């Protein structure tokens, strides 16, 4: 038995044969062409065909993984029309008398290298998208079909990397799990894998002769086991059965209340980042959406999403939740979430820099466009708004002035909107310490324990070297949580937790003792959390 360690992208246990995804030989030969204009026309026809393919992929992804994740295929369409990209290919054909396949390949390599050299993580991740676009053009020009799984039996799919378009096109019924040699946990492929519920591990240095061998994928630990011995295989098969049984038992909790044996009731909501995640939250019987990460609308576009684009997404979320509470966090970028088109300057310490509400209060046009979209959508459901990274009373008062302006503008224009609760995230020690003052200004608190722990402990949570020092159970963090809960209740407002700590089942009892009114977790954790709550005396 051979054990290979990788990095988990999505949990689960899978057992079955490995199939290495056999891609076509990507070597493109350079050919001399006499009629360059005919070659340009051939390229343009291939571009039109590629756009049609991407439109079909977008529609397919929309139904399978939701609008936010499907948006990558819109980005690919835009890349095909990018004038720098187009001019590079057509100029190469005309000036060097080369075939369109070769021009597309060289352009793809050049643009991909350019993106890979950028400092911004998001822009570096676009290098794979450029390659995907150029390879699509080459396949069409050369008359090649799509890559896919060879047989009809479900397999553990192994690949060097998987482009978003490849992931969506694969027949999910034939995939037990996938493992890739490259890729990142923040790539579109990783996001799609999580949404499609496919156990996945990246950074796996699998041997080339593993094709056809039996393997065990442990998506929880990120480990792959090739040629497992009978005893280990029996153990993992039993563990897999236990996981399935646990999920089935949890289903019996659907429709039941989140109430302790002593009668204490707690709202259990879900954290989501897309419309498809909202559907998953409903399937897991979440009582509402405690955190809708609106920044994903910005991260997955190459332009500022318009008010109308945002309105359509927020409206769809509100309607899908059918009256259940939907708490939407305003734009929260900066720190580890960078967006190229925002053109933000490099910062030595972005976690303490230009981010979240600071950007919104500085770039009022972006902020007001989002608020208008949110208020308009509130007419179609139970939408609440919360503002991230607050540190002062003055910030909250300024936010209230701007939101009042937006409501006034909508009212003057005859546009209806609902009665919207407005709250703030408690993510900084400053906000926690003055939470008694802040509570007088808002309708609710939602505690973001990820950043609150980071700032309280002075530990960068993105730095793996500090994992041994990072203690989210630190008494200082827990004391701040209790302080915030007490101050919220003194002012007559409710308080919840939407950070990762909310899903820490070892702390559920402590959170209830503190008086937390709501816990918001990933959709998959809703029922496990309900189970713990119902067992508490």
């Amino acid at each position: 038995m051979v054990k290979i360690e990788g990095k988990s992208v999505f949990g689960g246990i899978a057992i079955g044969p490995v199939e290495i995804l056999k891609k076509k030989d990507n070597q493109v030969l350079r050919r001399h062409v006499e009629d360059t204009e005919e070659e340009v026309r051939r390229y343009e026809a291939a571009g039109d065909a590629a756009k049609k393919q991407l439109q079909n992929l977008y529609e397919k992804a929309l139904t399978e993984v939701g609008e936010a994740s499907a948006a990558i295929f819109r980005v690919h369409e835009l890349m095909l029309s990018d004038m720098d990209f187009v001019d590079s290919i057509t100029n190469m054909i005309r000036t060097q008398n080369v075939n369109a396949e070769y021009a597309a390949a060289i352009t793809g390599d050049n643009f991909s290298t350019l993106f890979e050299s950028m400092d911004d993580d998001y822009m570096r991740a676009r290098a794979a998208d450029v390659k995907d676009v150029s390879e699509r053009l080459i396949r069409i020009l050369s008359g090649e079909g799509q890559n896919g799984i060879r047989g009809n039996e479900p397999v553990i799919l192994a690949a060097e990397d998987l482009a978003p378009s490849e992931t969506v096109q694969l027949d999910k019924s034939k995939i037990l799990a996938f493992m890739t040699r490259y890729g990142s946990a923040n790539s579109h492929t990783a996001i799609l894998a999580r949404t499609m519920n496919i156990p996945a591990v990246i950074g796996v240095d699998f041997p080339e002769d593993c094709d056809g061998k039996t393997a065990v994928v442990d998506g929880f630990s990120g480990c792959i086991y090739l040629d497992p011995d009978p005893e280990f295989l029996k153990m993992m098969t039993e563990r897999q059965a236990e996981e399935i049984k646990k999920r089935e038992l949890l289903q019996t909790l659907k429709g039941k209340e989140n109430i302790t044996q002593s009668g204490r009731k707690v709202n259990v909501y879900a954290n989501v980042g897309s419309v498809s995640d909202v559907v998953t939250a409903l399937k897991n019987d979440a009582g509402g959406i405690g955190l809708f990460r609106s920044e994903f609308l910005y991260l997955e576009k190459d332009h500022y999403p318009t008010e109308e684009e945002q309105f359509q997404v927020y409206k769809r979320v509100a309607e899908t939740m059918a009256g259940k509470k939907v708490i939407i966090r305003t734009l929260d970028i900066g720190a580890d979430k960078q967006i190229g088109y925002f053109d933000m300057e490099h910062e030595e310490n972005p976690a303490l820099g230009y981010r979240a509400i600071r950007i919104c209060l500085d770039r009022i046009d972006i902020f007001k466009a989002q608020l208008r979209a949110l208020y308009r959508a509130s007419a179609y459901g139970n939408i609440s708004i919360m503002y991230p990274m607050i540190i002062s009373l003055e910030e909250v008062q300024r936010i209230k002035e701007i939101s009042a302006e937006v409501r006034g503008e909508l009212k003057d224009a005859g546009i209806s909107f609902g009665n919207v609760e407005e709250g703030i995230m408690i993510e900084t020690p400053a906000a926690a310490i003055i939470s008694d003052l802040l509570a007088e200004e808002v309708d609710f608190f939602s505690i973001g324990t990820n950043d609150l722990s980071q700032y309280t402990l002075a530990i960068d949570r993105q730095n793996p070297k500090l994992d041994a020092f990072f203690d989210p159970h630190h008494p200082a963090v827990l004391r701040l949580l209790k302080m915030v809960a007490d101050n919220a209740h003194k002012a007559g407002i409710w308080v919840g937790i939407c950070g990762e700590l909310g899903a820490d089942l070892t702390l559920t009892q402590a959170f209830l003792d503190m008086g937390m009114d709501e816990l918001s977790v990933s959709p998959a954790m809703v029922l496990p959390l309900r189970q713990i709550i119902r067992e508490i005396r």
Side-chain angles (χ1 to χ4, degrees):
M1 180 172 72
V2 178
K3 177 182 177 182
I4 307 172
E5 295 185 358
K7 184 175 181 179
S8 172
V9 169
F10 190 80
I13 304 291
I15 302 171
V18 174
E19 179 173 318
I20 298 178
L21 186 64
K22 301 293 185 183
K23 297 193 178 186
K24 302 282 186 180
D25 184 358
N26 290 327
Q27 184 178 8
V28 178
L29 297 177
R30 173 174 179 153
R31 291 187 294 102
H32 178 83
V33 296
E34 294 293 340
D35 191 343
T36 56
E37 290 310 307
E38 175 59 31
E39 196 68 10
V40 167
R41 283 192 291 273
R42 195 167 75 87
Y43 153 67
E44 290 173 342
D48 290 339
K51 289 174 186 176
K52 288 181 182 178
Q53 284 184 3
L54 288 166
Q55 288 164 7
N56 292 334
L57 280 172
Y58 173 80
E59 295 300 328
K60 185 176 187 291
L62 194 63
T63 59
E64 290 187 358
V65 297
E67 186 171 359
S69 295
I72 184 59
F73 301 114
R74 293 296 194 213
V75 173
H76 284 199
E77 273 193 76
L78 290 170
M79 285 183 178
L80 281 169
S81 301
D82 180 82
M83 289 313 300
D84 289 334
F85 186 79
V86 171
D87 287 347
S88 174
I89 294 174
T90 55
N91 288 341
M92 195 176 298
I93 293 171
R94 288 179 172 129
T95 60
Q96 299 182 30
N97 291 78
V98 296
N99 53 314
E101 293 92 335
Y102 183 77
I106 296 300
T107 296
D109 287 344
N110 290 342
F111 275 63
S112 179
T113 301
L114 176 65
F115 278 111
E116 285 174 344
S117 67
M118 293 182 178
D119 293 331
D120 183 77
D121 287 341
Y122 178 80
M123 297 307 289
R124 279 202 302 271
R126 302 288 68 75
D129 295 326
V130 175
K131 281 194 173 184
D132 195 15
V133 167
S134 62
E135 287 172 2
R136 181 177 299 280
L137 280 172
I138 294 166
R139 285 196 301 269
I140 293 171
L141 286 163
S142 60
E144 294 179 356
Q146 298 293 320
N147 302 303
I149 298 170
R150 298 189 294 271
N152 294 317
E153 295 300 315
V155 297
I156 294 169
L157 195 65
E160 294 295 302
D161 197 2
L162 284 168
S165 58
E166 291 174 319
T167 309
V168 170
Q169 290 177 100
L170 293 169
D171 185 345
K172 289 186 293 180
S173 66
K174 296 179 182 178
I175 304 175
L176 300 171
F178 75 68
M179 55 182 181
T180 62
R181 200 182 301 278
Y182 306 110
S184 78
N186 297 313
S187 68
H188 283 288
T189 304
I191 294 169
L192 287 172
R194 295 188 193 104
T195 309
M196 293 161 68
N197 294 320
I198 297 174
V201 181
I202 60 175
V204 182
D205 189 18
F206 56 84
E208 292 301 322
D209 65 354
C210 72
D211 197 62
K213 292 183 178 180
T214 298
V216 175
V217 175
D218 186 345
F220 298 109
S221 67
C223 293
I224 310 296
Y225 302 88
L226 293 175
D227 286 330
D229 57 65
E231 186 176 346
F232 181 79
L233 187 60
K234 181 175 180 292
M235 181 187 74
M236 294 305 287
T237 301
E238 290 172 352
R239 186 178 165 198
Q240 183 185 48
E242 287 172 5
E243 292 295 329
I244 294 171
K245 187 176 180 181
K246 283 180 185 177
R247 289 197 297 268
E248 290 173 348
L249 285 173
L250 287 172
Q251 297 302 306
T252 64
L253 292 174
K254 284 187 176 181
K256 295 185 178 179
E257 290 187 301
N258 309 300
I259 189 166
T260 66
Q261 293 182 26
S262 64
R264 171 76 195 285
K265 188 173 181 180
V266 185
N267 286 321
V268 176
Y269 294 166
N271 298 334
V272 303
S274 69
V275 176
S276 65
D277 291 346
V278 172
V279 175
T280 305
L282 285 173
K283 286 181 179 178
N284 284 276
D285 206 29
I289 302 299
L291 168 62
F292 183 91
R293 301 180 180 94
S294 68
E295 59 270 17
F296 281 94
L297 295 175
Y298 298 77
L299 286 165
E300 297 191 348
K301 290 186 180 297
D302 63 351
H303 64 277
Y304 296 105
T306 65
E307 175 187 331
E308 187 63 26
E309 286 175 327
Q310 294 187 69
F311 164 68
Q312 292 297 335
V313 173
Y314 304 146
K315 174 175 176 281
R316 186 174 172 189
V317 172
E319 290 178 331
T320 300
M321 291 303 292
K324 290 184 177 182
K325 186 182 290 292
V326 177
I327 303 173
I328 299 178
R329 177 174 69 189
T330 56
L331 177 63
D332 185 10
I333 63 164
D336 58 323
K337 291 175 285 190
Q338 297 289 326
I339 300 178
Y341 60 83
F342 270 72
D343 196 27
M344 295 190 289
E345 295 179 1
H346 173 73
E347 296 179 291
E348 291 300 321
N349 195 342
L352 299 178
Y354 190 59
R355 59 173 297 193
I357 201 64
R358 298 167 187 175
I359 295 174
C360 291
L361 291 179
D362 182 48
R363 303 176 72 169
I364 304 295
D365 54 334
I366 295 173
F367 191 31
K368 290 184 77 171
Q370 181 171 34
L371 288 176
R372 282 194 297 270
L374 287 166
Y375 281 119
R376 287 172 58 195
S378 70
Y380 298 87
N382 186 8
I383 284 181
S384 298
I385 303 174
M386 68 178 176
Y387 305 98
M389 276 299 292
I390 299 299
I391 64 167
S392 71
L393 196 60
E394 290 74 21
E395 286 174 334
V396 175
Q397 291 168 342
R398 179 60 181 138
I399 289 167
K400 292 174 74 173
E401 290 173 0
I402 296 170
S403 61
E405 289 174 13
V406 171
R407 291 194 301 272
E409 292 167 1
L410 292 174
K411 188 174 181 181
D412 291 343
I415 299 173
S416 61
F417 53 89
N419 184 23
V420 177
E421 263 194 334
E422 300 197 37
I424 59 171
M425 293 190 70
I426 304 293
E427 301 174 276
T428 65
I433 292 168
I434 64 167
S435 55
D436 57 332
L437 304 177
L438 296 172
E440 300 294 336
E441 299 288 334
V442 297
D443 298 315
F444 65 91
F445 287 155
S446 186
I447 305 173
T449 54
N450 300 356
D451 273 329
L452 183 61
S453 299
Q454 169 176 244
Y455 296 133
T456 301
L457 302 178
I459 287 180
D460 180 1
R461 60 189 174 92
Q462 301 293 326
N463 188 342
K465 291 182 180 179
L466 300 178
D467 285 349
F469 299 94
F470 187 71
D471 178 17
H473 293 197
H474 194 290
V477 175
L478 299 181
R479 286 185 183 184
L480 287 177
L481 296 181
K482 181 67 165 66
M483 178 191 299
V484 172
D486 288 345
N487 286 332
H489 292 147
K490 285 176 186 175
I493 67 172
W494 66 266
V495 57
I497 293 176
C498 67
E500 291 298 316
L501 213 56
D504 187 336
L505 303 183
T506 66
L507 286 176
T508 306
Q509 174 78 67
F511 292 150
L512 268 59
D513 291 343
M514 291 176 190
M516 296 298 170
D517 302 296
E518 174 250 13
L519 298 171
S520 190
V521 296
S522 65
M525 285 301 297
V526 168
L527 294 178
L529 178 56
R530 176 174 297 167
Q531 183 180 42
I532 293 295
I533 291 171
R534 291 174 64 85
E535 291 173 354
I536 291 175
R537 296 187 181 278

